[in-house]
Amino acid sequence: MRIKRFLLSIGLLIAVIAIPIPSANALAVKVAPAGWTYLYASDAPAKSPTIPRVFSANLEKKSNFIPIYNNVPEFAKASIQKAIDTWSENFASKVPVNVNVTWTKAPNSLVLASASAKNIFSNFNGAPDKTLYYPSALANALAGIDLDTAEPELEVNVSTGDFWYYGLDGKCPTNKYDLVSVILHEMAHGLGFMSGTYYDSATKVGRLLQPTAFDAYAQLSDGRRLVDLPSPSIEMGSAITSTLYWSGVNGVKANNDVKPLLFTPAIYEQGSSVSHLDEKTFSNTAENAVMTPNLSAGEVFHLPGALLLAMFEDLRMKPPVGKATGLPGSVQNVRALVGNKSAIIKFDPPADFRFAQIESYIVENLQTGETTKTIESPVIISGLKNGSKYTFSVKATNSAGSSEAAKSNQITPQSTWKSTVIDPGADAKYITSTTYLSKPVIAYSDSKSGDLKLATYSNNKWVIKIIDGNADISGKTLNNVSGHISLCTSVVGKISYLHVFYTDLTNKDLKYALYNGKTWKYETVDGDGLVAQDYKEVNRVRGASDVSVSNACSVTNNSVQVFYRDESQGILLGAVKENGKWLYEIVDGDKDTENRTTGDVAFHMKAVTVGKKINLIYDSVKGFDAEKNITRGEVRFATRSSTSSLDWQYKTLDAPNERTYAVGYDVSILNNSKGLVAGWFTASGFTYPNPDQVKYQEINATEGVSVKADEFGTLHSSISADKKTILFSCELRLCVLNKASKVISLVSKSSIQKGSQINWITVNKTKYAIAGVGYKLTIFKP
């Protein structure tokens, strides 16, 4: 008796999808596979006795596979778990892999088990080839993040029946099927060993609408790749019923430098053809037979095998180019960005990138004639002169030759500001500053140690102390407290206070440290309650929600107030300390009456106190894509002059319109002689999901000022305004906008982390920019 595994074709939930040109501005595409991998039983006898396999030793886990059992009997869990554990030792990922396992009645009497990736993704950050589709678990591993937190990565259905062998010893009887082996094989399909091909036997037309990474390594005898053939077409149909080889360098090496032959019988077997190794070639190759289409009863595989693991290494790489049939088209959207004695050249591939088999790109400095070869965008061109003008061109090349040159805009490299490292051991991803006791102070995070630090400028030097994260006495904690921070100061009588609000990333709590110039006091403001309150509850108490995402403090003569995002429910909370007790409230995000919003609010926020009035600016998001990019949102503003939750007044400062696709990304607010001035980013449809404009306006004005930063690159979620300038992140560097002249200048050439906070600080009457640049707390002087 034998079983045959069938992988159904991967389809779309919508009728048609255009293959996107990969770009830094493009969106990730998520598709739900229409098919599963099925295991069928037959009456064919086994060819030969199978040698039992042993389990892998106690290897260190490379990933965390989490089974979710649905109606699975206890006696079957150990076998299923063993297969899952084997993959956790062999499949590397920082993102947990959730496996939904269901014990269910088979759709017909021959089906033993089935498995599927929950979704497949293309064009995400970290994809080796953004034009290909990667199953959920593999896509998450490559991206380093969970691209879809709402759904599991794998689904496995196990059929009820008396044909299973549940033992873990590999001694499966010849009339049973080893459950460990079956799950091991099927999980390999769900993790990435799968083709997206489909064949119509009546017309002999083949189709490949969502080419997987697996398909990019399937190569015809003449060197062409499966993904390069027209689809749907008879040519594609002929290819998937003819000879196909695996072309990945690791797979070839693991197969004694011979291209592994894929299973492509002349009569196409739906779900089995292409998605397996050839049966005749590999059925008697010990562990390397694990991915052949047939499995004998009594046959056991408890290890993936060297060939399968090598092929998975190939899937994590950019596939090799195929055979070129002509010159590539011209490169698109070539942009030159300003650098310090350098330029950053960014571009998108030609429109025919799918079939052009591009081997490299040639970037030419049109002023000097010098060329630089690269395999992808962006590329840094160094050795330029600041103050001189430069233009560049880019050509795509393949084995047939080069495309026509595409010309860039003209840029003028410029000097950056003078920099001084304050703390070389702290990344300072989260940072804020103020003046306390007439001294500049900077509170910042140290992600490596998990500490919260304070740098004070005293006697012409910076004195660094750890505020929290390094002890468990007097209210301090040993938890990771290197998250978001806000600072406020106040004076009561003759005592000046420094208020520091920060996050406990371990427990997802909001912490508070109070300094009176001599001693520190610590307490938890929120997040450590018994239960998470529903947003509909009017009477608020300390809750158990995740409150670690953002916070902003504001102090008046008679109260300390802090505002923070409830990540668990997407609302903006507030806490006011009066008479030694914290009083809690919902500020926004819970309703659409009274000028409030039901948007997902306060990913970013800032607060400033003017007299008795609290002024709070924050973002409100009403739509996300698969990678959590904003698709619809607003910039909100709330004020009150008391501590009563009934006194809030709200307004929307900016919202998408016919000229602006998305707004927000980060916010800033400043009080100057002309009143309150706010700042944020906006994105046009062309640059979405990344913003391309810095916008600022007076709070009471009806229109703001928008300035594009085309020559400085992609804007990111960091912005900080002072009276004359706005500091922001540009291509993960620091840039500054002069509000009077609308001129943008480069501050730093080294990179900051995406999502980092930046700020201004005044030292000896000179304004400095501060940020964590190159993973070091750094200060910049114009």
Side-chain angles (χ1 to χ4, degrees):
M1 188 175 185
R2 302 173 62 80
I3 56 174
K4 180 163 287 189
R5 306 171 181 90
F6 284 84
L7 173 66
L8 297 186
S9 62
I10 299 172
L12 281 173
L13 294 180
I14 54 177
V16 179
I17 182 168
I19 300 299
I21 293 176
S23 165
N25 301 323
L27 294 177
V29 178
K30 181 180 76 170
V31 176
W36 288 63
T37 300
Y38 287 95
L39 284 77
Y40 291 91
S42 74
D43 295 327
K47 289 182 179 179
S48 59
T50 302
I51 301 173
R53 310 304 179 195
V54 297
F55 296 124
S56 55
N58 293 324
L59 300 176
E60 181 180 355
K61 286 190 175 183
K62 296 180 179 180
S63 57
N64 182 23
F65 279 71
I66 304 171
I68 304 169
Y69 290 119
N70 300 297
N71 200 37
V72 177
E74 288 299 321
F75 55 79
K77 288 182 179 179
S79 301
I80 298 170
Q81 185 67 49
K82 189 59 187 181
I84 290 174
D85 289 344
T86 299
W87 275 116
S88 72
E89 296 170 350
N90 291 281
F91 184 85
S93 178
K94 294 181 180 179
V95 182
V97 181
N98 296 282
V99 185
N100 196 39
V101 184
T102 302
W103 197 262
T104 183
K105 183 179 179 180
N108 65 62
S109 60
L110 298 179
V111 173
L112 299 176
S114 57
S116 174
K118 182 63 178 180
N119 294 295
I120 54 176
F121 294 85
S122 70
N123 202 33
F124 54 88
N125 291 332
D129 188 324
K130 293 183 182 293
T131 70
L132 301 173
Y133 285 86
Y134 295 81
S136 299
L138 184 56
N140 289 348
L142 294 166
I145 61 172
D146 194 334
L147 297 174
D148 186 358
T149 58
E151 295 182 306
E153 283 67 47
L154 294 178
E155 291 189 297
V156 177
N157 285 348
V158 183
S159 300
T160 58
D162 60 357
F163 38 74
W164 292 119
Y165 178 66
Y166 302 105
L168 306 181
D169 56 6
K171 298 178 181 180
C172 181
T174 56
N175 63 342
K176 297 287 184 179
Y177 292 94
D178 186 68
L179 184 56
V180 176
S181 302
V182 168
I183 301 300
L184 187 74
H185 174 104
E186 289 304 326
M187 286 182 64
H189 284 304
L191 291 171
F193 203 97
M194 63 181 189
S195 170
T197 54
Y198 176 81
Y199 183 77
D200 187 331
S201 58
T203 63
K204 297 184 179 180
V205 168
R207 186 177 65 191
L208 184 62
L209 291 185
Q210 293 88 47
T212 66
F214 186 94
D215 293 314
Y217 286 101
Q219 190 179 78
L220 283 71
S221 298
D222 61 6
R224 290 179 297 163
R225 304 185 306 173
L226 197 60
V227 295
D228 300 328
L229 303 181
S231 175
S233 69
I234 293 178
E235 186 178 4
M236 175 68 76
S238 175
I240 60 179
T241 54
S242 303
T243 302
L244 289 176
Y245 298 94
W246 183 265
S247 63
V249 60
N250 292 297
V252 173
K253 183 178 180 180
N255 195 43
N256 298 317
D257 293 324
V258 176
K259 292 181 180 179
L261 185 64
L262 299 179
F263 181 65
T264 53
I267 299 176
Y268 186 85
E269 298 184 12
Q270 183 62 45
S272 189
S273 288
V274 186
S275 298
H276 293 90
L277 292 173
D278 184 62
E279 174 71 21
K280 292 181 180 179
T281 305
F282 292 99
S283 60
N284 294 314
T285 57
E287 297 293 353
N288 287 340
V290 67
M291 293 312 295
T292 58
N294 298 326
L295 178 71
S296 300
E299 195 171 6
V300 175
F301 296 104
H302 286 180
L303 292 174
L307 178 56
L308 175 56
L309 295 179
M311 295 172 76
F312 265 104
E313 288 303 311
D314 287 328
L315 292 173
R316 293 173 181 262
M317 301 168 58
K318 184 177 178 64
V321 297
K323 185 178 180 180
T325 58
L327 295 178
S330 296
V331 174
Q332 303 181 93
N333 303 321
V334 179
R335 285 195 300 157
L337 308 179
V338 173
N340 183 6
K341 297 182 180 180
S342 64
I344 301 173
I345 312 302
K346 300 181 71 175
F347 53 88
D348 292 332
D352 63 348
F353 69 94
R354 171 59 59 76
F355 311 109
Q357 309 306 322
I358 296 170
E359 295 179 348
S360 64
Y361 298 92
I362 305 298
V363 180
E364 181 179 0
N365 183 332
L366 297 182
Q367 274 61 51
T368 66
E370 295 179 345
T371 60
T372 302
K373 185 177 181 180
T374 182
I375 61 172
E376 61 183 355
S377 169
V379 59
I380 298 176
I381 307 298
S382 57
L384 308 181
K385 294 181 180 180
N386 288 337
S388 297
K389 298 182 183 299
Y390 295 91
T391 309
F392 304 85
S393 69
V394 182
K395 295 180 180 179
T397 67
N398 63 14
S399 59
S402 299
S403 69
E404 293 186 5
K407 191 176 179 181
S408 77
N409 56 298
Q410 187 180 76
I411 57 100
T412 303
Q414 58 182 244
S415 300
T416 53
W417 293 9
K418 182 180 179 181
S419 63
T420 302
V421 174
I422 297 175
D423 188 342
D427 62 345
K429 180 176 182 179
Y430 301 104
I431 187 172
T432 187
S433 63
T434 191
T435 299
Y436 175 66
L437 293 174
S438 302
K439 297 177 181 179
V441 296
I442 305 170
Y444 59 99
S445 63
D446 183 342
S447 299
K448 184 176 181 180
S449 64
D451 294 339
L452 173 66
K453 292 184 174 181
L454 188 73
T456 303
Y457 192 75
S458 181
N459 297 323
N460 296 319
K461 65 179 182 180
W462 289 98
V463 179
I464 299 173
K465 294 183 178 180
I466 298 176
I467 300 176
D468 201 357
N470 63 334
D472 57 359
I473 58 174
S474 303
K476 298 178 70 173
T477 181
L478 289 169
N479 290 345
N480 183 350
V481 291
S482 60
H484 288 261
I485 315 163
S486 60
L487 281 181
C488 289
T489 60
S490 65
V491 178
V492 179
K494 296 182 179 181
I495 302 177
S496 296
Y497 291 96
L498 178 66
H499 308 265
V500 187
F501 291 90
Y502 56 103
T503 49
D504 181 331
L505 296 178
T506 303
N507 294 331
K508 309 298 183 183
D509 297 338
L510 177 63
K511 305 282 290 184
Y512 173 42
L514 177 64
Y515 184 57
N516 63 6
K518 296 181 180 180
T519 60
W520 289 91
K521 291 184 178 180
Y522 302 87
E523 62 178 303
T524 299
V525 178
D526 203 355
D528 62 342
L530 297 177
V531 295
Q533 273 193 287
D534 188 273
Y535 72 94
K536 296 178 182 179
E537 295 184 43
V538 177
N539 298 320
R540 309 301 299 180
V541 297
R542 185 191 300 260
S545 294
D546 176 357
V547 290
S548 64
V549 171
S550 61
N551 64 77
C553 65
S554 193
V555 178
T556 62
N557 290 334
N558 59 357
S559 68
V560 176
Q561 304 186 38
V562 63
F563 311 101
Y564 47 98
R565 172 176 166 80
D566 180 336
E567 176 71 4
S568 303
Q569 300 186 75
I571 56 179
L572 175 55
L573 301 179
V576 180
K577 194 166 192 179
E578 290 185 330
N579 300 319
K581 294 183 178 181
W582 290 103
L583 305 178
Y584 300 92
E585 61 180 318
I586 295 180
V587 178
D588 204 356
D590 60 329
K591 56 186 176 182
D592 55 8
T593 58
E594 304 169 17
N595 289 324
R596 288 163 83 152
T597 182
T598 54
D600 199 348
V601 294
F603 290 96
H604 308 89
M605 72 178 93
K606 296 289 191 318
V608 63
T609 304
V610 180
K612 296 182 179 180
K613 181 174 285 190
I614 305 296
N615 302 275
L616 184 63
I617 186 173
Y618 51 97
D619 49 7
S620 173
V621 179
K622 294 186 175 180
F624 298 93
D625 63 23
E627 288 195 311
K628 298 185 178 180
N629 297 307
I630 301 171
T631 58
R632 195 160 52 97
E634 302 172 340
V635 175
R636 302 271 296 165
F637 181 65
T639 64
R640 71 176 176 193
S641 298
S642 71
T643 59
S644 172
S645 60
L646 300 177
D647 290 346
W648 285 109
Q649 296 182 339
Y650 305 89
K651 65 186 298 186
T652 298
L653 297 181
D654 200 8
N657 52 44
E658 65 276 4
R659 295 171 298 175
T660 305
Y661 190 84
V663 303
Y665 299 95
D666 196 9
V667 292
S668 179
I669 191 167
L670 172 74
N671 181 38
N672 60 23
S673 58
K674 295 183 179 181
L676 291 174
V677 178
W680 56 89
F681 295 124
T682 66
S684 63
F686 178 76
T687 64
Y688 176 80
N690 299 307
D692 64 337
Q693 297 180 79
V694 180
K695 186 171 184 178
Y696 58 94
Q697 73 177 56
E698 295 181 12
I699 290 296
N700 295 322
T702 57
E703 289 289 335
V705 178
S706 295
V707 179
K708 285 193 172 183
D710 292 340
E711 294 183 2
F712 293 86
T714 301
L715 307 183
H716 293 279
S717 57
S718 289
I719 186 170
S720 181
D722 73 353
K723 294 180 181 180
K724 298 181 180 180
T725 57
I726 295 179
L727 182 69
F728 60 96
S729 63
C730 54
E731 206 66 22
L732 291 179
R733 305 169 298 173
L734 294 181
C735 285
V736 66
L737 166 66
N738 185 303
K739 291 192 285 188
S741 65
K742 310 295 188 298
V743 172
I744 296 174
S745 302
L746 190 62
V747 175
S748 77
K749 62 180 180 180
S750 299
S751 296
I752 64 175
Q753 297 181 69
K754 190 174 183 180
S756 294
Q757 294 177 329
I758 58 181
N759 219 325
W760 293 101
I761 194 169
T762 300
V763 181
N764 294 332
K765 298 182 180 180
T766 299
K767 183 75 72 173
Y768 291 83
I770 52 173
V773 176
Y775 295 90
K776 301 174 183 178
L777 174 61
T778 309
I779 190 167
F780 295 86
K781 181 180 180 181

